[in-house]
Amino acid sequence: MNGGVDYLLSEEVIHLTRGPSGLGFNIVGGTDQQYIPNDSGIYVSRIKENGAAALDGRLQEGDKILAVNDQELKNMLHKKVVELFRTAGDNVSLKVQHRLLPQNGPSSHRGDGDPGGIPLAMILVPGLAVAAAATLLWAFLRYRQRA
C-alpha cells in the first residue's frame, strides 16, 4: 500500500462553472515551488467561501489537482498552471486526487463526495513549523552558550 503511507488515494473528476470570483480556490505547488518535498504537484491551498468550488462542495483543501480540462499538470511551473486556469474557459473540468485516511473496520461508501479525514497539509504544515521552531531554539541556545 503506497510504501507504508497511512492514507488512501481516491481520484475524482469535478466540473466547475466559473463564477464572479473565478473558480473560488487558490493553488500552491509546481516544479519551481514545491509544496511537499520531492513532489512538484499542484495542491488546493484554500477554498474561498461562496466561490464555485465551495458551492460544489467536492474540492477540498489539500487535494492534488492532476489535470485541468484533460491537460495533465505533471512537471509544470506554478505560473504555467495559473495561466492554464486563467484561460480554461467558464466550464472547467478538474481531475483531482483526494487523500483519505483509512477507515477502522469494514470499508464503507461515504457518499456525497465527502472524502472525510484530514488533508495531509493540515498534518504536515504544523508539524514542520514545530520542527523548524525547535531547530531555531536549539541553534540560538547553542550560540548563546558559545558567546
Side-chain angles (χ1 to χ4, degrees), residues 28-127:
V28 292
T31 55
D32 55 334
Q33 46 183 273
Q34 292 182 357
Y35 176 61
I36 294 176
N38 301 314
D39 181 348
S40 61
I42 301 296
Y43 290 87
V44 177
S45 61
R46 180 171 169 257
I47 303 285
K48 298 177 184 174
E49 191 174 333
N50 296 322
L55 296 173
D56 177 87
R58 292 177 290 169
L59 191 66
Q60 300 296 314
E61 292 177 3
D63 283 352
K64 184 175 187 176
I65 302 176
L66 303 175
V68 175
N69 291 342
D70 295 323
Q71 173 150 2
E72 297 286 327
L73 303 185
K74 198 169 193 164
N75 299 321
M76 290 183 91
L77 293 169
H78 181 83
K79 67 180 183 178
K80 174 74 173 157
V81 176
V82 170
E83 185 61 26
L84 186 62
F85 273 108
R86 284 196 179 124
T87 60
D90 289 337
N91 296 308
V92 180
S93 171
L94 304 173
K95 182 178 178 183
V96 301
Q97 185 178 74
H98 305 289
R99 284 177 162 71
L100 309 174
L101 293 178
Q103 303 283 322
N104 288 334
S107 63
S108 63
H109 179 70
R110 296 186 63 87
D112 295 329
D114 177 15
I118 300 171
L120 183 61
M122 292 183 70
I123 297 167
L124 287 180
V125 172

